[in-house]
């Protein structure tokens, strides 16, 4: 992905060099000319990148030239980012401290930002780039990289598997479902296997059978676990138990037993698995199985045999030898490629804007292209998405140039997928390849992955007036629509993607195009090279400081990700930790989950480029260094499961670029007095405080009612915290009503998502004028607002679309609630006291929308105990005991 990396770097350099930062700094004589020449050189190089990207696959010379070029551009990016950070530091340093900071910036003692030093480094980098640009014995044609074809966006994916979009697999689904429902086996647990090459849709077929209505009714319990190429019995047991836990959500006892699975020992896990499976007719899907070792399978099989007669294990695999290793009589279903007609039908669904398309010449071109896809659904969908809404001349170009090298009789699927990758926009290429840091079958959280991409600068707004936050979903949508990613989970209320995965073949492609740029490393396999910039580590233990530093010595990492849920390291001294952190000086993203590793006090000064910091599973940290507030570029801060952590740094207001703050399961954290300053941060988008048992605070009591309160916050989660409240009720309501008249939005003006649970001391919440999703487990929190707004039916919940309430009596507020929530689309009521339901729910002239979905669970006073479904007007109500 050399062209993608270099295009991103050159764009970042041009943006930094062209900013007004350098006009504020009195650079040494001649430095401005050098900066201008640097920008010109970078622009010239940028025009040659597209041609170099294509030629590097056949030329080792071009490949080495790109590596040399990349190293210098990374140096230039770091230098300009250093200067921008120092400029930012002056902006946030108040009063006399600021003048001192300015003096220091221009002093000789500041080796980094002293103008003469900066000027000299700019000159050195420019000379290196000029030399590299001229030092090549090959010709490169100039192109504009922006001309790279982009995927045209279309409908949003709204479910895991849409049956109506599956082509040519109806018979296969029927056969698999029939095998799962077959009760003739004398074994209590039998196996059904789906075998076929990559890209044929084995997982899709398994999902269709798994969600089949007859199959769902036949089995008492259904579970799904991804295995992939590493067969780890204990990991698989955890995945099976987590899947079972999701099915037991209505059973409080089993939910309690299945809590905290990740921290249970091996014997506990095996005992739990027996308890979950014994005596039940279950279906277990083991997706993407690669293990050929019968001994390893036997260890797991012994724990799975407790199901009642008729239990089934459905296996998907590429290899028949895997089925043989299982050793249990298995019904094998071989999945074949699609026929020519089926291939064409699938291509038409993805490539044409409408199925009635009758352009004969375009169809003939398309049929020639489809033949090169070898009947593999993944390849057909990928190319179909690429050609969607393109003109005929572009179809001809793909057929005559891109596909001409592919053998029709023996097509290479990876070659077909690579063609689609080549036509992604450069920053999308970067986002795709970055996923190679994670193992096969890894489930990506969409919001977290977007934060990682943003930390590396991969997401960029082409319109200077458009917020990056507003376009972030487009990157995921483009990769989904191109079949580079697959939907794993969708938010049932909003219809938006929550989690996604990569197909195995796409993961192979990501590894191929990433090369040394992105690497997964462990102590037994893999190492870091000089050109490795992003690395993930599956290291269960570090045995010595030398082992750590030698591993990090070779590379200038911008990403360090620890993949293990909890990893052990020797307890290093502060000086030793300082030495390790010095290897992270180029990092933009750092995730550390080592249980015995201290954070050095020099963190802020060492890691000034850092955008994403996650510290979790650390049992030794009691406090974080104050220097963390010097990380002025920090966008995301996650602190999770640090059980001895008692305090956070005080002056968090300095983190002016902080967008996401997540503090979770830090059970000794007793004070968050610093958090009231966060309400003034203009960049903060999400705030999540969860399972902070020792917490006892009123975080917002010092906030003012005369200025915006969390001006940019979009998502707020408070769960299991002793939060006392937002000021006094009367003060809030007076301020809200006062400013309501002049349309001023002082309180959470952009807040869309609110989830508040198990906060017993919080009996009141302020108005949320823009909230769309609201979940609260204490209805009394809302009563004050309803009483105060009886004469203001358009506020404060006029934008509310999805509501979940539980624990309390709805009778006093239900009618007012429905009047205030004009646009309500779905409502869930759990464990609520309720005498009547439909009085007040009939549409009125004021209502602009209707509540189409109402789920009522665990009522103290069921309305109609004998009914399972009530329908009245536009409302459908499902009652559960």
């Amino acid at each position: 992905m050399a062209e993608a990396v270099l295009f991103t770097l050159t764009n970042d350099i041009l943006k930094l060099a062209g900013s007004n930062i350098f006009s504020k700094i009195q650079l040494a004589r001649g430095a401005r000319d050098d900066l201008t020449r640097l920008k010109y050189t970078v622009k010239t190089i940028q025009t040659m990148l597209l041609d170099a990207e294509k030629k590097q696959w056949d030329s080792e010379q071009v490949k080495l030239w790109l590596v040399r070029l990349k190293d210098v551009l990374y140096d230039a990016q770091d230098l300009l980012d250093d200067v921008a950070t120092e400029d930012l530091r002056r902006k946030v340093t108040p009063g006399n401290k600021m003048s001192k900071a300015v003096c220091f910036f221009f002093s000789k003692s500041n080796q980094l930002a002293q103008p003469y030093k900066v000027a000299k480094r700019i000159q050195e980098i420019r000379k290196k780039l000029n030399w590299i640009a001229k030092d090549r014995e090959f010709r490169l044609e100039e192109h504009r990289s922006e001309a790279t074809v982009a995927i045209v966006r279309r409908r949003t994916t709204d479910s895991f598997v849409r049956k109506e979009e599956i082509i040519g697999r109806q018979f296969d689904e029927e056969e698999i479902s029939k095998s799962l429902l077959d009760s003739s086996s004398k074994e209590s647990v039998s196996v059904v296997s789906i075998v076929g090459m990559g890209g044929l849709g084995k997982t899709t077929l398994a999902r269709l059978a798994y969600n089949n209505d007859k199959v769902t009714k036949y089995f008492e319990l259904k579970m799904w676990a991804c295995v992939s190429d590493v067969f780890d019995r204990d990991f698989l047991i955890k995945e099976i138990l987590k899947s079972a836990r999701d099915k037991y959500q209505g059973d409080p006892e089993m939910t309690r037993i299945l809590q905290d699975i990740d921290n249970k020992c091996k014997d506990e896990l095996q005992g739990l698995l027996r308890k979950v499976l014994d005596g039940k007719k279950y279906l277990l899907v083991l997706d993407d199985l690669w293990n050929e070792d019968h001994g390893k399978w036997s260890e797991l099989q012994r724990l799975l045999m407790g199901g009642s007669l008729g239990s089934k294990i459905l296996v998907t695999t590429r290899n028949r030898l895997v089925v043989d290793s299982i050793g249990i009589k298995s019904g094998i279903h071989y999945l074949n490629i699609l026929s020519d007609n089926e291939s064409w039908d699938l291509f038409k669904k993805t490539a044409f804007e409408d199925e009635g398309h009758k352009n004969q010449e375009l169809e003939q071109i398309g049929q020639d292209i489809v033949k090169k896809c070898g009947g593999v659904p993944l390849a057909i969908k990928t190319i179909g998405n690429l050609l969607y809404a393109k003109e005929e001349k572009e179809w001809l170009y793909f057929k005559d140039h891109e596909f001409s090298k592919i053998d029709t009789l023996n097509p290479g699927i990876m070659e077909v997928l690579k063609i689609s990758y080549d036509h992604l926009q450069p920053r999308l290429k970067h986002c795709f390849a970055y996923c190679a840091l994670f193992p096969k079958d890894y489930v990506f959280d969409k919001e977290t992955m977007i934060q990682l991409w943003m930390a590396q600068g991969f997401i960029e707004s082409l319109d200077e007036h458009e917020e990056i936050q507003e376009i972030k979903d487009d990157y995921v949508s483009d990769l989904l629509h191109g079949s580079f990613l697959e939907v794993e989970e969708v938010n049932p209320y909003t219809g938006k993607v929550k989690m996604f995965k990569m197909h195995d073949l796409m993961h192979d492609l990501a590894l191929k195009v990433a090369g040394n740029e992105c690497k997964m490393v462990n102590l037994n396999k893999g190492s870091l090279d000089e050109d490795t910039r992003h690395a993930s580590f599956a290291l269960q233990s570090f045995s010595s400081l030398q082992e750590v530093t030698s591993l990090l010595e070779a590379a200038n990492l911008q990403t360090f990700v620890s993949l293990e849920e909890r990893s052990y390291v020797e307890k290093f001294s502060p000086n030793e930790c300082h030495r390790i952190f010095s290897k992270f000086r180029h990092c933009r993203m750092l995730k550390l989950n080592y249980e015995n590793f201290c954070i050095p006090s020099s963190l802020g000064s060492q890691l000034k480029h850092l955008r994403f910091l996650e510290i979790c599973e650390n049992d030794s940290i009691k406090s974080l260094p104050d220097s963390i507030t010097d990380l002025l570029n920090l966008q995301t801060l996650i602190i999770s499961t640090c059980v001895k952590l008692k305090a956070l740094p005080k002056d968090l207001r300095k983190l002016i670029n902080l967008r996401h703050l997540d503090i979770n399961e830090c059970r000794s954290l007793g004070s968050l007095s610093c958090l009231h300053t966060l309400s003034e941060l203009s960049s903060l988008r999400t705030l999540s405080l969860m399972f902070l048992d020792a917490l006892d605070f009123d975080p917002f009591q010092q906030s003012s009612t005369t200025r915006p309160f969390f001006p940019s916050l979009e998502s707020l989660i408070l769960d299991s915290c002793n939060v006392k409240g937002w000021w006094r009720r009367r003060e809030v309501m007076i301020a809200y009503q006062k400013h309501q008249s002049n349309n001023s939005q002082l309180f959470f003006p952009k807040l869309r998502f609110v989830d508040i649970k198990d906060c017993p001391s919080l009996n009141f919440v302020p108005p949320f004028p823009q909230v769309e999703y609201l979940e609260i487990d204490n209805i009394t929190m809302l009563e004050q607002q309803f009483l105060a707004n009886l004469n203001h039916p358009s506020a404060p919940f006029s934008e509310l679309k999805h509501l979940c309430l539980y624990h309390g009596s709805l009778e006093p507020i239900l009618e007012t609630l429905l009047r205030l929530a004009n646009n309500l689309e779905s409502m869930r009521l759990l464990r609520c006291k309720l005498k009547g339901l439909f009085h007040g729910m009939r549409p009125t002239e004021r209502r602009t929308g209707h509540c189409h979905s109402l789920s009522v669970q665990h009522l103290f006073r069921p309305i109609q105990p004998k009914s399972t479904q009530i329908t009245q007007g536009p409302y459908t109500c499902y009652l559960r005991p």
Side-chain angles (χ1 to χ4, degrees):
M1 62 173 183
E3 180 254 345
V5 174
L6 293 169
F7 182 83
T8 302
L9 285 172
T10 51
N11 256 16
D12 289 347
I13 290 167
L14 291 171
K15 185 186 296 184
L16 284 166
S19 68
N20 62 0
I21 293 170
F22 285 89
S23 65
K24 298 177 183 178
I25 300 173
Q26 298 175 9
L27 294 171
R29 183 184 303 174
R32 295 190 184 282
D33 290 338
D34 283 319
L35 192 60
T36 302
R37 293 189 190 104
L38 175 65
K39 287 190 287 185
Y40 177 78
T41 302
V42 170
K43 283 183 179 179
T44 303
I45 288 171
Q46 195 177 61
T47 63
M48 297 184 287
L49 293 180
L50 190 60
D51 193 40
E53 167 79 359
K54 292 178 179 178
K55 290 180 177 177
Q56 69 160 324
W57 299 101
D58 302 314
S59 171
E60 192 66 26
Q61 260 191 331
V62 178
K63 187 180 295 185
L64 291 173
W65 183 81
L66 288 172
V67 170
R68 291 164 55 206
L69 177 61
K70 184 178 65 173
D71 286 341
V72 180
L73 288 176
Y74 271 123
D75 287 343
Q77 184 193 44
D78 279 350
L79 170 62
L80 298 180
D81 197 47
D82 283 338
V83 176
T85 302
E86 291 302 326
D87 182 69
L88 192 62
R89 193 179 309 283
R90 288 185 292 158
K91 291 179 181 178
V92 301
T93 306
N96 292 331
K97 290 183 179 179
M98 181 174 181
S99 60
K100 290 179 181 178
V102 173
C103 291
F104 174 72
F105 182 78
F106 290 107
S107 70
K108 293 183 179 180
S109 60
N110 184 359
Q111 297 300 310
L112 170 66
Q114 185 191 356
Y116 177 76
K117 294 286 185 181
V118 174
K120 188 174 181 181
R121 286 181 62 184
I122 289 174
Q123 191 177 55
E124 290 171 353
I125 288 170
R126 184 181 65 79
K127 287 180 179 179
K128 285 182 181 179
L129 284 177
N130 285 336
W131 182 66
I132 291 172
K134 294 175 183 177
D135 184 33
R136 51 186 171 87
E137 298 176 2
F138 47 86
R139 175 179 172 78
L140 292 176
E141 296 180 12
E142 294 188 5
H143 298 278
R144 287 188 61 82
S145 292
E146 296 94 326
T148 302
V149 179
I151 291 173
V152 178
R153 192 171 301 112
R154 65 180 90 179
R155 63 188 179 277
T156 302
T157 308
D158 57 4
S159 65
F160 301 163
V161 179
R162 297 190 63 178
K163 189 172 181 178
E164 65 271 19
E165 293 186 359
I166 305 300
I167 300 293
R169 296 304 186 203
Q170 289 78 8
F171 174 78
D172 297 291
E173 184 208 348
E174 291 172 5
E175 289 298 302
I176 295 297
S177 298
K178 190 185 298 182
S179 298
L180 295 178
L181 297 171
D182 182 11
S183 58
S184 63
S185 175
K186 296 180 181 178
E187 301 285 342
S188 60
V189 180
S190 55
V191 177
V192 178
S193 301
I194 304 174
V195 181
M197 64 179 285
L200 289 182
K202 298 183 295 296
T203 300
T204 298
L205 181 57
R207 279 177 173 161
L208 286 173
Y210 185 81
N211 293 320
N212 182 287
D213 290 339
K214 291 181 180 179
V215 170
T216 299
K217 292 176 183 177
Y218 182 76
F219 294 100
E220 297 176 68
L221 177 63
K222 295 193 306 177
M223 297 157 293
W224 185 292
C226 289
V227 185
S228 198
D229 47 358
V230 178
F231 190 89
D232 184 328
R233 184 193 61 181
D234 293 338
F235 173 79
L236 272 178
I237 292 173
K238 289 180 182 180
E239 292 301 295
I240 294 169
L241 288 173
K242 288 175 183 178
S243 182
R245 180 178 60 193
D246 294 339
K247 307 302 178 184
Y248 276 117
Q249 285 186 346
D251 186 333
E253 177 62 19
M254 287 302 294
T255 301
R256 182 187 62 79
I257 291 173
L258 292 173
Q259 280 183 344
D260 203 23
I261 290 171
D262 287 326
N263 293 322
K264 295 189 184 298
C265 68
K266 180 170 65 175
D267 291 340
E268 287 178 307
L269 290 171
Q270 294 181 10
L272 273 179
L273 186 59
R274 290 194 185 94
K275 185 177 182 65
V276 167
L277 300 183
D278 282 359
K280 291 186 179 63
K281 186 189 293 184
Y282 72 81
L283 168 62
L284 170 63
V285 177
L286 295 178
D287 186 35
D288 195 23
L289 189 62
W290 288 77
N291 173 61
E292 298 177 15
D293 187 333
H294 177 67
K296 288 184 177 180
W297 169 258
S298 296
E299 293 176 359
L300 178 63
Q301 176 189 335
R302 180 170 46 84
L303 302 170
L304 300 176
M305 292 297 105
S308 67
L309 190 65
S311 294
K312 292 287 197 302
I313 299 173
L314 178 59
V315 169
T316 71
T317 181
R318 296 190 198 180
N319 193 342
R320 168 61 196 263
L321 294 176
V322 171
V323 179
D324 294 338
S325 74
I326 292 174
I328 307 174
K329 185 178 179 181
S330 174
I332 303 175
H333 186 87
Y334 291 99
L335 200 57
N336 296 315
I337 62 175
L338 297 180
S339 67
D340 289 346
N341 288 337
E342 290 168 342
S343 297
W344 176 241
D345 287 343
L346 180 58
F347 183 80
K348 284 193 297 184
K349 261 190 178 296
T350 54
F352 294 120
E353 289 190 85
D354 59 88
E355 293 189 29
H357 198 93
K358 296 298 182 183
N359 185 325
Q360 295 296 324
E361 295 207 3
L362 206 59
E363 288 200 7
Q364 184 56 55
I365 298 169
Q367 287 178 352
D368 292 341
I369 289 173
V370 168
K371 290 176 183 177
K372 304 276 189 170
C373 295
V376 178
L378 179 63
I380 295 168
K381 286 194 299 181
T382 302
I383 297 303
N385 279 311
L386 175 64
L387 295 176
Y388 176 79
K390 300 289 191 298
E391 296 180 2
E392 184 176 326
K393 62 181 181 181
E394 294 175 278
W395 284 53
L396 275 171
Y397 177 83
F398 285 115
K399 175 193 168 186
D400 296 338
H401 294 84
E402 304 287 358
F403 285 84
S404 60
K405 298 178 182 179
I406 298 177
D407 184 356
T408 304
L409 298 177
N410 186 27
I413 303 306
M414 195 60 65
E415 291 176 317
V416 176
L417 300 181
K418 175 68 168 54
I419 289 172
S420 188
Y421 165 84
D422 286 339
H423 289 274
L424 283 174
Q425 292 176 344
R427 290 183 185 270
L428 280 175
K429 288 181 181 180
H430 226 155
C431 292
F432 170 71
Y434 198 74
C435 295
L437 288 176
F438 301 87
K440 286 185 178 181
D441 292 319
Y442 186 87
V443 178
F444 298 89
D445 177 82
K446 186 190 78 171
E447 292 302 323
T448 301
M449 203 61 193
I450 286 173
Q451 290 169 27
L452 296 185
W453 291 340
M454 289 179 66
Q456 299 299 335
F458 300 161
I459 296 181
E460 181 184 46
S461 174
L462 298 178
D463 181 353
E464 61 180 10
H465 302 294
E466 188 178 28
E467 288 254 351
I468 287 181
Q469 200 72 17
E470 295 173 359
I471 66 165
K472 58 187 177 60
D473 286 345
D474 292 346
Y475 278 65
V476 176
S477 295
D478 284 346
L479 292 172
L480 285 169
H481 294 147
S483 298
F484 294 97
L485 303 176
E486 297 178 345
V487 178
E488 177 68 13
E489 184 179 342
V490 173
N491 186 310
Y493 301 103
T494 64
K496 293 184 177 180
V497 175
K498 285 180 63 179
M499 318 287 282
F500 60 79
K501 292 178 67 174
M502 295 185 87
H503 189 281
D504 282 359
L505 288 179
M506 285 298 183
H507 190 275
D508 292 340
L509 177 62
L511 288 173
K512 177 181 176 63
V513 299
N516 286 332
E517 184 80 11
C518 303
K519 273 195 170 184
M520 286 191 292
V521 181
N522 61 47
L523 290 180
N524 300 316
K525 181 182 178 182
S527 60
L528 298 180
D529 301 309
E530 289 183 6
D531 54 338
T532 303
R533 298 288 171 166
H534 311 287
S536 59
F537 295 79
L539 307 176
Q540 293 187 347
S541 66
F542 283 133
S543 59
S544 68
L545 175 65
Q546 183 178 358
E547 190 176 55
V548 181
T549 52
S550 62
L551 195 61
L552 299 175
E553 191 72 45
N556 295 314
L557 292 182
Q558 289 199 339
T559 299
F560 180 100
V561 179
S562 175
L563 291 175
E564 301 294 330
E565 292 176 356
R566 180 185 288 264
S567 302
Y568 174 79
V569 294
E570 277 188 2
K571 188 166 185 178
F572 298 140
S573 69
N575 286 337
E576 290 173 327
C577 290
H578 178 88
R579 286 176 58 189
I580 293 172
F581 268 79
S582 68
K583 308 301 178 185
F584 299 144
R585 64 187 179 277
H586 299 282
C587 270
R588 265 73 171 168
M589 185 275 173
L590 185 61
K591 178 182 178 181
L592 296 169
N593 50 338
Y594 298 109
E595 64 181 62
N596 198 11
F597 194 78
C598 68
I599 308 298
S601 59
S602 56
L603 173 71
S605 60
Q606 283 185 294
L607 277 64
K608 61 177 62 180
H609 301 293
L610 203 62
R611 267 77 171 171
F612 185 109
L613 174 62
E614 181 174 353
I615 301 169
C616 54
E617 302 287 353
N618 193 312
D619 292 344
S620 63
I621 296 178
K622 294 183 180 179
S623 63
L624 293 175
D626 288 338
S627 68
I628 202 171
T629 62
D630 292 330
L631 299 173
L632 300 183
N633 291 307
L634 195 65
Q635 299 170 357
T636 300
L637 176 60
I638 300 173
I639 306 167
S640 176
T641 324
C642 297
V643 295
K644 294 183 180 178
L645 181 67
K646 294 184 178 181
L648 295 180
K650 294 180 180 180
D651 202 8
L652 290 179
R653 74 171 76 227
K654 290 169 62 178
L655 299 176
I656 59 174
N657 280 307
L658 190 66
R659 293 170 176 264
H660 311 282
L661 177 62
D662 185 344
I663 306 174
N664 181 21
E665 292 196 69
C666 298
R667 299 187 182 275
S668 298
L669 193 62
S671 173
L672 285 179
S673 57
C674 58
L675 277 182
H676 71 274
T677 63
L678 292 177
S679 66
E680 302 167 18
L681 290 181
S682 60
S683 298
L684 192 65
R685 260 62 173 190
T686 67
L687 175 62
S688 177
L689 307 176
M690 301 176 65
F691 304 106
L692 308 179
D693 299 347
L695 201 60
D696 184 9
F697 78 125
D698 185 348
F700 312 116
Q701 62 182 345
Q702 300 178 47
S703 299
S704 169
T705 57
T706 60
R707 58 189 174 194
F709 188 66
F710 284 104
S712 299
L713 196 69
E714 297 172 357
S715 174
L716 173 66
I717 299 175
L718 299 175
D719 192 342
S720 303
C721 302
N722 191 20
V723 185
K724 292 181 178 179
W726 283 271
W727 319 303
R728 294 185 294 276
R729 297 185 183 187
R730 183 172 177 275
E731 230 177 83
V732 173
M733 298 317 301
I734 289 175
Y736 177 73
Q737 292 174 355
K738 176 182 177 182
H739 293 283
Q740 187 183 38
S741 60
N742 61 12
N743 295 320
S744 176
Q745 293 183 339
L746 286 178
F747 300 92
F748 302 103
K750 295 185 178 180
L751 192 62
R752 300 287 189 272
F753 181 98
V754 177
D755 185 350
I756 301 176
K757 297 192 193 78
D758 196 18
C759 297
S761 299
L762 186 62
N763 57 11
F764 169 71
V765 292
F768 304 126
Q770 300 297 321
V771 71
E772 295 178 1
Y773 179 99
L774 178 63
E775 182 167 349
I776 290 183
D777 71 345
N778 183 354
I779 294 172
T780 58
M781 292 184 199
L782 300 176
E783 289 182 3
Q784 183 75 14
Q785 287 201 35
F786 292 139
L787 294 173
N789 285 282
L790 285 172
N791 296 320
H792 300 277
S794 63
F797 295 109
S798 58
E799 302 298 322
L800 187 63
K801 294 179 180 178
H802 311 286
L803 175 67
C804 178
L805 298 174
Y806 40 106
H807 298 307
S809 175
L810 272 175
E811 294 163 19
I813 64 169
L814 180 60
E815 188 169 352
T816 307
L817 166 66
L818 295 170
R819 284 170 53 196
L820 293 176
N822 291 345
N823 294 297
L824 196 64
E825 295 176 2
S826 69
M827 180 164 66
R828 294 169 62 213
L829 309 176
L830 293 85
R831 304 182 184 277
C832 297
K833 295 179 181 179
L834 196 62
K835 287 182 179 179
L837 186 62
F838 294 105
H839 176 67
M841 285 193 68
R842 294 184 177 87
T844 67
E845 292 180 1
R846 284 178 176 173
R847 294 182 61 81
T848 58
H850 307 304
C851 179
H852 297 294
S853 172
L854 174 60
S855 173
V856 184
Q857 302 178 30
H858 309 296
L859 291 175
F860 287 110
R861 301 176 186 175
I863 305 163
Q864 296 184 19
K866 295 182 180 179
S867 299
T868 57
Q869 180 173 326
I870 303 171
T871 303
Q872 178 165 336
Y875 309 109
T876 300
C877 170
Y878 296 95
L879 303 180
R880 303 181 184 179

